[in-house]
Amino acid sequence: SRHARSGMDLMATHNESMTDPRTREAATMIPVYGQLPFVPERASGCDIFTRDGRQILDLYGGHAVAALGYGHPSLVEAIHTQSSKLLFQSNAVALDIRADAAEKLMRVAPDGIERVFFVNSGAEANENALRMALRTTGRSKVLAITMGFHGRTAAAGAVTWNADKWYGFPSKPFDVEFIPRDDIDSARSMIDDSVACVIFEPVQGVAGAYDLSTEFIETLRTETTKHGALLIADEVQSGMGRCGHFFAVQAHDVNPDIITNAKALGGGIPCGAVLCTQEIASKFGSGDLGSTFGGGPIAAAAIAATVQAITDEHLLANVRAREAQVREQGVVGPIRKIQGMGLLLGLVCDRPATEVRNILLDHDILAGTSSDPEVLRILAPLVLQANHVDRLSQALATIVPTTI
């Protein structure tokens, strides 16, 4: 009967809803994430395949994490091999694979960077970098840059612009002031002998892939050196080849005292790193820093494989070529201009970026938004191909620009 069929349809809908991970997560997890309207089932290269049969071109890379795309054979093999040999051991013992990861990172790091401390995330890397700077200098003031984002933990959140709305801790662990971004005169006046360090992102990712000027970054380096302060480059999002160099500061020919890295560092395996000079490393000994899982064998294998693949497959050159292509073809439809570097790009829209993102998703293309409501972010895997950029520009061209 019609009523019986209706009841069966309702039951089927109910059962399907109860097996949907969005429903299941909503029933068990704290609802702090705004989620997109699809469920990935598997992925390969730059494509995500969903449980409802869609094939989505991923230009967001899981918040800039998927450096080698999905299912990269050398990364998968490294993780599989290491998992079968030794899944975990702590830093209480030395490991060949950890030494391998450290050596490979040092080979691609800027001049003067000679030591690494492995951690688990970008926030943890920044937390330790700030602590190291305070201890090394014996000072208690930190300068950060307006609009910057460094993480959600106590110290990292303290130097994140506008973090007060979610910070949650009763007080910050040190004095913090913010230099207006790209304001050279303010940088010169604010960096003095009371400052322990200045932390900055060469390309401000969350802020919409805003690339700081070379002159401003050079001023940060000159003034911190003059006043005995340390310069920390937060390359959590801009590092590991994303900007066409292993680290974005290399594009400016500026050598910081400390670099933090995470996200793409392990190609998808959670990991982070604090890289520093030998002079800073010499201030720390047994027990001064620590991490249970930092530098674990799986993470170390992923780091080593990711660095090796970027080198062997000439992905830095590919990133620069794809950036040039996006800049040439991407100012179309709703896009007014493009900022950023490499494949950390901000497409400035003529309307709210969420509207453009949603239209692109209708074309099975995934991009990201940012804290700037007009900026759409491109954080594609470093293996992005020319035909992928063609597809993006063609989809953008279908969106009628607003009249001014």
Side-chain angles (χ1 to χ4, degrees):
S1 71
R2 185 177 68 233
H3 294 299
R5 283 197 303 273
S6 243
M8 291 174 65
D9 290 343
L10 285 171
M11 184 176 294
T13 301
H14 173 73
N15 289 340
E16 182 179 350
S17 173
M18 292 309 293
T19 61
D20 189 321
R22 289 169 292 189
T23 303
R24 294 169 60 202
E25 284 193 7
T28 54
M29 298 177 65
I30 300 173
V32 294
Y33 300 113
Q35 294 186 324
L36 296 165
F38 65 87
V39 177
E41 201 164 65
R42 63 185 180 87
S44 177
C46 294
D47 292 317
I48 298 171
F49 299 87
T50 72
R51 63 184 292 169
D52 60 353
R54 297 172 69 183
Q55 182 175 339
I56 297 173
L57 173 61
D58 184 8
L59 302 184
Y60 195 58
H63 300 305
V65 168
L68 304 180
Y70 301 98
H72 190 282
S74 63
L75 178 59
V76 171
E77 177 61 24
I79 295 167
H80 173 75
T81 300
Q82 186 58 51
S83 298
S84 63
K85 288 172 58 178
L86 182 66
L87 185 68
F88 181 72
Q89 263 301 324
S90 75
N91 291 282
V93 293
L95 299 175
D96 278 332
I97 191 61
R98 187 186 300 128
D100 191 29
E103 289 165 357
K104 282 183 166 60
L105 269 179
M106 292 306 97
R107 289 190 197 112
V108 300
D111 291 343
I113 297 294
E114 300 176 286
R115 297 284 175 163
V116 61
F117 171 59
F118 287 119
V119 291
N120 304 284
S121 72
E124 187 181 353
N126 285 332
E127 199 85 8
N128 279 281
L130 291 163
R131 183 161 162 254
M132 291 166 69
L134 293 167
R135 174 165 171 167
T136 299
T137 62
R139 300 172 184 177
S140 60
K141 182 193 288 186
V142 175
L143 300 182
I145 312 302
T146 59
M147 312 307 293
F149 184 93
H150 302 286
R152 292 180 177 270
T153 50
V159 292
T160 291
W161 180 248
N162 278 342
D164 290 346
K165 59 186 177 183
W166 50 258
Y167 189 67
F169 298 100
S171 60
K172 296 180 179 180
F174 40 70
D175 299 328
V176 183
E177 294 180 10
F178 290 89
I179 304 171
R181 68 183 184 185
D182 277 340
D183 187 331
I184 291 172
D185 290 339
S186 290
R188 287 175 176 155
S189 66
M190 293 175 69
I191 301 171
D192 58 27
D193 292 347
S194 70
V195 173
C197 63
V198 176
I199 185 168
F200 75 104
E201 301 165 274
V203 182
Q204 296 185 322
V206 174
Y210 180 92
D211 45 321
L212 298 177
S213 73
T214 295
E215 294 76 14
F216 181 70
I217 294 173
E218 288 174 341
T219 300
L220 297 182
R221 176 68 287 179
T222 300
E223 295 301 314
T224 50
T225 300
K226 181 192 302 183
H227 293 283
L230 300 185
L231 185 63
I232 302 173
D234 176 347
E235 298 240 24
V236 168
Q237 195 166 125
S238 61
M240 287 308 289
R242 179 149 299 282
C243 290
H245 303 263
F246 264 101
F247 296 95
V249 290
Q250 291 167 316
H252 301 283
D253 198 24
V254 169
N255 298 324
D257 302 294
I258 300 175
I259 298 174
T260 58
N261 195 213
K263 289 195 182 294
L265 179 62
I269 295 294
C271 54
V274 183
L275 294 76
C276 68
T277 64
Q278 172 60 35
E279 182 180 0
I280 293 172
S282 68
K283 309 293 185 184
F284 296 87
S286 179
D288 288 336
L289 301 170
S291 172
T292 298
F293 292 101
I298 302 301
I303 292 168
T306 300
V307 174
Q308 195 66 51
I310 292 171
T311 302
D312 291 348
E313 298 174 25
H314 309 291
L315 294 184
L316 300 182
N318 185 64
V319 168
R320 293 191 290 269
R322 299 290 74 75
E323 176 192 3
Q325 187 184 1
V326 172
R327 290 187 180 279
E328 180 181 350
Q329 299 177 203
V331 183
V332 63
I335 307 305
R336 294 189 287 110
K337 67 176 183 177
I338 297 173
Q339 59 195 28
M341 187 188 299
L343 288 176
L344 175 46
L345 295 175
L347 279 56
V348 183
C349 304
D350 64 5
R351 68 199 74 192
T354 51
E355 293 183 17
V356 179
R357 181 201 63 189
N358 293 342
I359 295 171
L360 288 177
L361 197 52
D362 288 339
H363 287 264
D364 288 332
I365 298 173
L366 176 62
T369 54
S370 68
S371 63
D372 186 327
E374 293 185 346
V375 177
L376 190 78
R377 270 189 297 169
I378 300 297
L379 303 169
L382 312 188
V383 295
L384 192 73
Q385 298 300 304
N387 64 295
H388 295 143
V389 179
D390 291 340
R391 186 173 160 192
L392 170 64
S393 63
Q394 290 162 11
L396 289 170
T398 68
I399 306 172
V400 178
T402 60
T403 56
I404 299 176

